[in-house]
Each structure stands twice: as structure tokens, then as C-alpha cells.
Amino acid sequence: MRIVKVGKLLLGPGYPVVIQTMWKEPLAPGDPEPLRVRIGKLKSLGCGLLRFAAPDLRSAEVLGELSRISPLPLVADIHFDWRIALRCLDFPIAKIRINPGNIGSRAKVEEVVRKAADRGVPIRIGVNGGSLPQDLRGSQDPAGAMIAAAEREMEILESLGFRDYLVSMKSSDMRATLDANRRFAAVHDVPLHLGVTEAGPLIPGIVKNAVALHALLSEGIGVTLRVSLSDSPESEVVAGREILASAGRGRPGVNIISCPRCGRGGFDVHSFLARWQDRLYALDRDITVAVMGCAVNGPEEARHADIGITGAGDRAVVFRGGKIVRTISVEEADTVFEEELSRL
Ligand code: SF4
């Protein structure tokens, strides 16, 4: 399979699979500092690539300026108007995504491709099962239709000698997504960006993406992924991390094990995790952290954890490597946990 360079990232065999997410708000002129800070947080959670919609030339300008200061490489997502892609290519963006179903004539695509080649910017051909070119819509073989849409666009890029591209074929039907990516990977050496599109709210969205992406990643398919959710980009990144780790394609990172909580628990697992989850995921460590409601599943069942906290009657205990190191009041939980975490 060929290797594609996106910003400073190398994507392809032997390189880590990169988690991508997408910014959810429109881009508007203004102080870029809050965006830069939040992008930094996405990076700390494990995001490697961030896509922005650029629906008009004004947002292309804002995105372009942001790409000069962003802690993450940025991708410009272009639909309908090739001139927006051309403008984005005046800035140090890392990648352009175009949708072959709506970008228009071959001449427009060629103009974008030539400028991308000049600027050394790769392109993602992003096929979406819900917005295929007119003649491919309603096919009895939705996976085949997505592959055909991708191949049609690939032919234009290849005819111009442009090989610096990736393909994605996403459907809201995870079976069609699986089928399309498997069939494509069997015959092409082009890197694939993975995802189930329009996957729904947090829980169903994660389930659909996990089922499809775990299978593909386990088969060695995919160089980037996005878990598309009707939820925050932070949730998309954390879900992507978990899917990658479960498929054995990502570094372990912070593994949180926690109990569901029940009537026995004297320690509020849910609120502790709400306060700590993002901080833990932002740690650049390969550790397991246990958060348990009571001693039933506390230090004993979580003894493999590097650090853990569990309820113990009306108190709480902090343990490391299966050994209790502190017995504390519930009110002291955050302070003491932080102290013990810093000792790891
Ligand atoms: S660890 Fe305790 S509180 Fe948590 S689910 Fe198990 S029995 Fe319930």
C-alpha cells in the first residue's frame, strides 16, 4: 500500500492509525485563541487530525489563518464549490477533502488537483453513500456504488499523475461501509480513511462505528478513522482511541476500568469519572486506572490497575498495584487521588 504524507504525518503500512475528528461549529472571524486552546485539548486526548467544514470563502479565510497556529494539522472539507478548495490551498492546511458526488465537472476537479500537487497537499476522496453521483444513486449494491464513485475520481487524479490521495467510503449502514472498504482494499493500494457516517447519537453511534471499524482495523485496513457522532469532538476522539486500542492498532494509552455502580456503592463512581475522565485521557501514559463503587470489585478485582480508587463503607481507599496506600474520607477523594497519581 502506498504511503501518504499529511502535514508531518505519514499514513500507511507501519505507521500508527491516526484519529480524526471534525469541528462542529461554523468558523467565523474573531479571536482564534479559544479555538487554539480547544484544539490543544483534542490533541491531548489523542486526536491527530482535525477537519473543518469550509462552506464559503469567508470560512476558508478563517480556516487558513487558523492553520498557521493550530496545534493539529487541519483538513478543509469542501462540498459543491471548487473555488473554496483553491483558496484553502493558499494556506498551510494539511489536506483537502472533496466529495465526488457534488464537486462538479472534471475540469473543476482537475484545477483543484493541479494546485494541490503544486502545494504538496494530499486530497481525500470522501465518498458518502447518501450523496453519490446521480447515476450511482439507488443501486442494489450500495457498496459497489461507493467504490465506483471513488474509482471515478481516482481516475481523474491518476490521469494527472497525482497519487497523493486517500479514499473514504462511508455509509450510515455499517454493513455497506464494511463491504465497500473490504472490497476496495482487496484491489487497490490506496490508504483508506474509515468511518460510519451519520451514525447517530453517542451510544448507537459508538456501537455502529465500533462494530465496523474494529473489524476493518483488525484486518489491517485503514490509516485514519473518525467516529462520527451527534456529540462532541472530544467524545469522537475518546471513542476512536478505544476502538483503536481494542483492535490492537493503537497505543494502549490510559485504560479506565470502572464499575457501573449499584446499591452497594458508597462512592459516587459516575461523578468522580465526570470530573476525572478527560484529565486521565489527556495523560501521556500507558496505565490502567480503576474507579469502583465498593469493596466487592474494589482493590481485589482491580488489582491489575496501576492506580485505583474505591468506596469502602463510608470511606474510600486509594490503591496502587493492588495494595491499599491510603484510606480517606470521600471528600478527600480528588485531592488524594491526584497526589497518588503524581507518584506513579
Ligand atoms: S463495585 Fe460495588 S458498587 Fe460497583 S457495581 Fe460492583 S458491587 Fe456495585
Side-chain angles (χ1 to χ4, degrees), residues 258-267 269 291-298 310:
S258 61
C259 85
R261 199 173 82 183
C262 73
R264 278 186 209 92
F267 182 64
V269 170
V291 183
M292 301 293 180
C294 78
V296 169
N297 288 333
T310 184

Side-chain angles (χ1 to χ4, degrees), residues 86-136:
L86 295 175
R87 183 64 182 127
C88 287
L89 284 164
D90 291 328
F91 296 95
I93 56 154
K95 187 170 63 160
I96 292 272
R97 181 264 171 141
I98 54 174
N99 181 339
N102 62 30
I103 205 70
S105 71
R106 181 181 181 113
K108 292 173 181 171
V109 177
E110 286 184 358
E111 202 177 338
V112 173
V113 173
R114 286 203 181 91
K115 187 159 182 178
D118 282 350
R119 306 282 301 178
V121 174
I123 291 175
R124 170 158 68 91
I125 300 170
V127 178
N128 185 320
S131 57
L132 290 168
Q134 197 66 40
D135 61 311
L136 293 172

Side-chain angles (χ1 to χ4, degrees), residues 284-314:
D284 190 21
R285 306 280 300 270
D286 294 333
I287 55 170
T288 295
V289 179
V291 183
M292 301 293 180
C294 78
V296 169
N297 288 333
E300 193 54 27
E301 287 196 20
R303 61 181 168 275
H304 61 290
D306 296 283
I307 185 169
I309 186 164
T310 184
D314 59 358

Side-chain angles (χ1 to χ4, degrees), residues 8 13 16 41 59 69 73 97 104-105 128 145 202 210 220 246 251 269 283 294 305 338:
K8 291 180 182 160
K41 184 185 171 202
S59 54
I69 60 164
R97 181 264 171 141
S105 71
N128 185 320
L202 189 68
S246 71
R251 64 174 274 197
V269 170
L283 295 174
C294 78
E338 184 152 22

